[in-house]
Amino acid sequence: QVRLVESGGGLVQPGGSLRLSCTASGSTDNKFALGWFRQAPGKEREFVAVISSSGLSSSYGAFVKGRFTVSRNNAENTGDLQMNNLQPEDTGVYYCAGGGIGARTSTPLDREEYDYWGQGTQVTVSS
């Protein structure tokens, strides 16, 4: 069993930055992709970013446009999502997720391909 816990959310002004962290514990050898998803009020949970189990590959949602960077440190069982130039439309609950085991790609984009989910952390972008 793998447990994921996010932290680092909060209130930030437009143009500001936040760094979200995800810590994994339990029976894990880090052989899973680490994804990030978000859910805004009234919207479906959407893909934000993913990094492969090795940390060698990553992918981002189209709206990111170079503003975010995903990373992981398998030795510490942690992963980070650095978010810069945040905008009001980035507001939502952000989740880290582990999965993609046996997937056709090392960087899965579909939330159905993930098995473990954190509790979520609120990100609010407002002036």
Side-chain angles (χ1 to χ4, degrees), residues 2 8 10-12 15 35 40 57 72 78 81 98 102 110 116 118 122:
V2 176
L11 175 64
V12 64
S57 300
R72 70 189 297 163
T78 60
L81 179 68
D110 193 331
Y116 312 110
Q122 177 70 43

Side-chain angles (χ1 to χ4, degrees), residues 65-123:
K65 297 182 179 179
R67 299 178 300 138
F68 300 174
T69 302
V70 64
S71 62
R72 70 189 297 163
N73 187 330
N74 286 343
E76 298 182 357
N77 295 318
T78 60
D80 291 336
L81 179 68
Q82 176 66 46
M83 304 188 294
N84 300 321
N85 193 24
L86 287 163
Q87 301 300 313
E89 54 265 36
D90 294 314
T91 294
V93 179
Y94 284 68
Y95 302 86
C96 66
I101 300 173
R104 67 187 71 184
T105 174
S106 63
T107 53
L109 312 182
D110 193 331
R111 67 180 183 176
E112 295 181 348
E113 299 179 271
Y114 290 83
D115 301 309
Y116 312 110
W117 294 85
Q119 83 287 353
T121 185
Q122 177 70 43
V123 172

